């Protein structure tokens, strides 16, 4: 295994702390599956070095995983919900113990800054804390019956085995969003980790396995599978999995949705975002610039909530543009484990090609590059995955602006009146996150009205990126319509049952229907 000779950032110790070896099993039900098979190579975009290899899950191993998951579910769903919450509480504490090495692995394997890597693990901890409380609040309703001496109520039961498919950009947090709530709901989890960041999945599964072992719980409550789209296909078509939660591209989401719908299963989809900030004449410019800057370049533009469009009023357009270009010139690009750097690499060389093609297309359509545009080479950039954050003047109708490019490209668009700005923001197929910077109460309220933002997330005077776990996370239109994390998202992982109890000696029918017969 080739680890950087100058291990200035403690990479070897981090891998040792997490139990990551040269070759790692990618299938686990709590017990890891060793054996022969194909391996996925995890190569860090940070320095180009191979971190380790992860063995793919075979179809036979997949069947074993599903069988054990279903067997474990019969046991797990009968544990009282607050007791399941205790398991999640322990998971949160275990993540606190491993926060530094796991956060560093997230940063090193997928390229986001160390602060963002640590922040991702903190998100895992936060959702565990939230779910612990939720385990005592899986409330149903009571209803008055129209029939005498009848009582009606609803209750919630575990769904069964939940399939979770995650993307490389948040290789561990999205699993936790799903798993923490699913566990308190009484579900078991089969997790397909991203093949672009598989070691993050291996490390997280091992942490969860520690918790299960310490509580003498059966294997299969939390399981890991690894591989390409074929494993995802197995899960999507599997009738034994009542819910598939999938995070990724719109293209991938449509494939998953069709497969799950064909068997009348349920899907929770978190797909693409093409998020805009509207900048009004009354906006606090300094706040706006900071929000747009982090939104556009955080995680090197590889968040589904990344800011991709800045829609600026014509009266302040040049001012905002000039300040933004100056701010971009101060960004530090380099090894994400070095906390002096703001931006690390993008995930791989294919992503670099998409970045280059997007800028080229924007120019061909009439856009103008104001800053950036280029791949960095030389010392410190040997992986070939470092690109310059780029600002492009554009029009909202450009085909490339309508698409989501997972890279640090920000399009500047001019508008003249409020309704036009909202129409521009909403005039894309994606509907995840949105924001407006304004000090006008009328604009704020109109933006949040039924005629305002059509996105699942609409913010006032904060950016598009960086959601808290307390609120439901997700979007509309081709973003998929799913909701994860806070609020009442727990209901997705359970099935609702309506119950009616008759404690009379009569059998009256609803709606006053008469059905008399002598017995």
């Amino acid at each position: 295994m080739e680890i950087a000779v100058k291990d200035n950032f403690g990479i070897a110790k981090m891998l040792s702390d997490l139990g990551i070896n040269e070759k790692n099993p990618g299938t686990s039900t709590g017990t890891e599956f060793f054996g022969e098979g194909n391996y996925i190579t995890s190569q860090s975009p940070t320095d180009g070095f191979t971190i380790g290899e992860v063995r793919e899950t075979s179809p036979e191993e997949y069947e074993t995983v599903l069988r054990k998951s279903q067997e474990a579910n019969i046991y797990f769903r009968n544990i009282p919900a607050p007791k399941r919450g205790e398991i999640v509480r322990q998971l949160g504490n275990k993540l606190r113990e491993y926060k530094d090495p796991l956060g560093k692995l997230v940063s090193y394997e997928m390229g986001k800054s160390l602060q963002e890597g640590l922040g991702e693990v903190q998100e895992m901890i936060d959702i565990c804390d939230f779910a612990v409380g939720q385990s005592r609040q899986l409330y149903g309703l009571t209803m008055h019956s129209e029939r005498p001496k009848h009582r009606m109520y609803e209750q919630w039961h575990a769904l069964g085995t939940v399939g979770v498919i995650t993307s490389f950009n948040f290789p561990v947090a999205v699993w936790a969003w799903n798993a923490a709530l699913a566990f308190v709901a009484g579900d078991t989890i089969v997790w397909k980790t991203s093949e672009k960041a598989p070691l993050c999945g291996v490390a997280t599964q091992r942490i969860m396995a520690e918790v299960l072992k310490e509580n003498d719980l059966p294997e299969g409550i939390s399981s890991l599978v690894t591989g390409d789209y074929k494993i995802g296909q197995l899960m999507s078509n599997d009738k034994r999995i009542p819910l598939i939660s999938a995070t990724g591209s719109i293209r991938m989401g449509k494939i998953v949705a069709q497969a799950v719908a064909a068997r009348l299963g349920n899907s929770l989809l978190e797909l693409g975002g093409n998020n805009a900030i509207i900048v009004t004449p009354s906006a606090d410019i300094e706040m706006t610039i900071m929000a747009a800057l982090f939104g556009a370049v955080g995680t090197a533009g590889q968040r589904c909530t990344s800011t991709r469009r800045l829609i600026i009023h014509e009266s302040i357009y040049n001012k905002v543009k000039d300040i933004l270009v100056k701010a971009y010139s101060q960004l530090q690009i380099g090894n994400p484990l070095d906390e002096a750097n703001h931006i690390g690499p993008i995930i791989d060389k294919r992503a670099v090609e998409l970045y280059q093609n997007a800028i080229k297309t924007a120019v061909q359509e009439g856009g103008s590059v104001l800053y950036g545009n280029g791949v960095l080479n030389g010392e410190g950039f040997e992986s070939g995955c470092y690109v310059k954050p780029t600002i492009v003047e554009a029009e909202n109708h450009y085909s490339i602006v309508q698409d989501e490019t997972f890279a640090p490209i920000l399009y500047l668009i001019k508008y003249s009146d409020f309704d036009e700005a909202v129409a521009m923001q909403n005039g894309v197929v994606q509907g995840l996150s949105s924001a407006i910077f304004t000090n006008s109460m009328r604009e704020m309220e109109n933006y949040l009205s039924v005629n305002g933002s059509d996105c699942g997330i609409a913010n006032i005077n904060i950016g598009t990126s960086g959601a808290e776990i307390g609120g439901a996370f997700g979007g509309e239109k081709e973003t998929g319509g799913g909701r994860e994390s806070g609020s009442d998202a727990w209901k997705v992982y359970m099935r609702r049952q309506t119950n009616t109890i008759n404690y009379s000696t009569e059998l009256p029918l609803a709606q006053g229907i008469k059905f008399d017969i002598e017995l």
Side-chain angles (χ1 to χ4, degrees), residues 379-442:
E379 186 176 356
F381 305 119
E382 291 87 354
S383 69
C385 296
Y386 291 85
V387 301
K388 296 178 182 178
T390 301
I391 304 172
V392 179
E393 284 188 300
E395 298 287 343
N396 201 62
H397 66 267
Y398 291 175
S399 63
I400 194 62
V401 176
Q402 294 283 310
D403 286 339
E404 178 191 41
T405 303
F406 240 43
I409 302 173
L410 179 64
Y411 299 109
L412 268 54
I413 301 163
K414 190 183 297 184
Y415 81 93
S416 57
D417 69 77
F418 179 82
D419 289 341
E420 178 192 14
V422 173
M424 285 180 180
Q425 178 206 280
N426 295 344
V428 295
V429 298
Q430 309 88 350
L432 179 52
S433 187
S434 59
I436 187 171
F437 277 77
T438 179
N439 284 317
S440 164
M441 183 173 291
R442 282 199 178 97

Side-chain angles (χ1 to χ4, degrees), residues 137 147-148 261:
Q137 300 177 80
R147 291 167 284 184

Side-chain angles (χ1 to χ4, degrees), residues 1-9 11-12 47 49-50 108 335:
M1 180 167 55
E2 191 179 19
I3 294 295
V5 176
K6 296 181 180 179
D7 189 6
N8 300 327
F9 300 103
I11 296 169
D47 52 23
F49 285 97
T50 295
Y108 186 59
N335 191 314

Side-chain angles (χ1 to χ4, degrees), residues 5 46 181 245 324 474 476 481:
V5 176
T46 297
L181 294 179
S245 174
L324 189 65
E476 299 302 317

Side-chain angles (χ1 to χ4, degrees), residues 131-267:
V132 172
Q134 192 68 71
S135 69
R136 294 181 182 270
Q137 300 177 80
L138 304 178
Y139 298 139
L141 299 172
T142 59
M143 284 91 43
H144 288 279
S145 174
E146 66 184 59
R147 291 167 284 184
K149 295 189 177 182
H150 282 60
R151 181 165 71 87
M152 295 180 65
Y153 71 98
E154 67 178 21
Q155 60 180 335
W156 295 82
H157 294 302
L159 272 181
T161 294
V162 172
V164 179
I165 301 172
T166 58
S167 180
F168 75 88
N169 59 329
F170 280 86
V172 294
V174 174
W175 169 82
W177 284 4
N178 286 273
L181 294 179
F183 289 148
V184 300
D187 301 326
T188 51
I189 289 283
V190 174
W191 175 24
K192 180 195 174 299
T193 187
S194 170
E195 63 268 36
K196 293 187 178 183
L199 291 171
C200 286
V202 171
T204 301
Q205 170 67 7
R206 285 177 174 170
I207 292 169
M208 183 66 206
E210 284 186 26
V211 175
L212 298 176
K213 185 176 181 180
E214 289 169 5
N215 287 273
D216 197 27
L217 289 168
E219 60 181 293
I221 291 172
S222 178
S223 299
L224 178 75
V225 293
T226 303
D228 60 16
Y229 71 93
K230 294 175 185 176
I231 292 292
Q233 284 181 333
L234 285 176
M235 294 171 67
S236 299
N237 288 291
D238 198 326
K239 292 182 178 181
R240 296 168 293 181
I241 304 178
L243 172 66
I244 294 288
S245 174
T247 301
S249 68
I250 291 172
R251 183 191 63 81
M252 179 274 284
K254 288 180 177 179
I255 295 170
V256 170
Q258 290 176 37
V260 175
R263 59 179 176 85
L264 298 181
N266 299 316
S267 55

Side-chain angles (χ1 to χ4, degrees), residues 259-459:
V260 175
R263 59 179 176 85
L264 298 181
N266 299 316
S267 55
L268 192 170
L269 302 175
E270 298 289 356
L271 310 176
N274 194 347
N275 316 295
I277 296 176
I278 296 174
V279 189
T280 71
S282 66
D284 183 314
I285 301 300
E286 184 174 326
M287 285 176 59
T288 302
I289 295 297
M290 289 304 297
L293 195 63
F294 177 74
V297 307
T299 320
Q302 297 173 115
R303 293 185 176 211
C304 50
T305 55
S306 290
T307 305
R308 310 213 177 276
R309 297 174 294 145
L310 204 59
I311 302 172
I312 310 166
H313 191 268
E314 59 189 6
S315 66
I316 56 170
Y317 181 85
N318 288 331
K319 179 179 181 180
V320 172
K321 177 178 70 173
D322 292 345
I323 297 174
L324 189 65
V325 170
K326 181 180 178 182
Y328 263 64
S329 69
Q330 298 175 57
L331 292 170
Q332 298 295 314
I333 308 169
N335 191 314
L337 296 176
D338 184 345
E339 295 191 63
N341 294 322
H342 300 103
I343 312 165
I346 53 180
I347 188 64
D348 55 27
K349 291 183 179 178
R350 173 58 180 158
V352 172
E353 291 177 14
L354 294 173
Y355 158 87
Q356 293 174 308
N357 291 339
I359 297 171
K360 181 180 178 181
T361 301
V363 172
Q364 289 173 342
E365 293 193 69
S368 176
V369 176
L370 297 176
Y371 186 88
N373 186 17
V375 181
L376 298 171
N377 299 297
E379 186 176 356
F381 305 119
E382 291 87 354
S383 69
C385 296
Y386 291 85
V387 301
K388 296 178 182 178
T390 301
I391 304 172
V392 179
E393 284 188 300
E395 298 287 343
N396 201 62
H397 66 267
Y398 291 175
S399 63
I400 194 62
V401 176
Q402 294 283 310
D403 286 339
E404 178 191 41
T405 303
F406 240 43
I409 302 173
L410 179 64
Y411 299 109
L412 268 54
I413 301 163
K414 190 183 297 184
Y415 81 93
S416 57
D417 69 77
F418 179 82
D419 289 341
E420 178 192 14
V422 173
M424 285 180 180
Q425 178 206 280
N426 295 344
V428 295
V429 298
Q430 309 88 350
L432 179 52
S433 187
S434 59
I436 187 171
F437 277 77
T438 179
N439 284 317
S440 164
M441 183 173 291
R442 282 199 178 97
E443 288 178 335
M444 292 181 194
E445 293 297 334
N446 276 297
Y447 187 72
L448 298 178
S449 76
V450 69
N451 298 314
S453 172
D454 66 0
C455 296
I457 299 168
N459 295 330

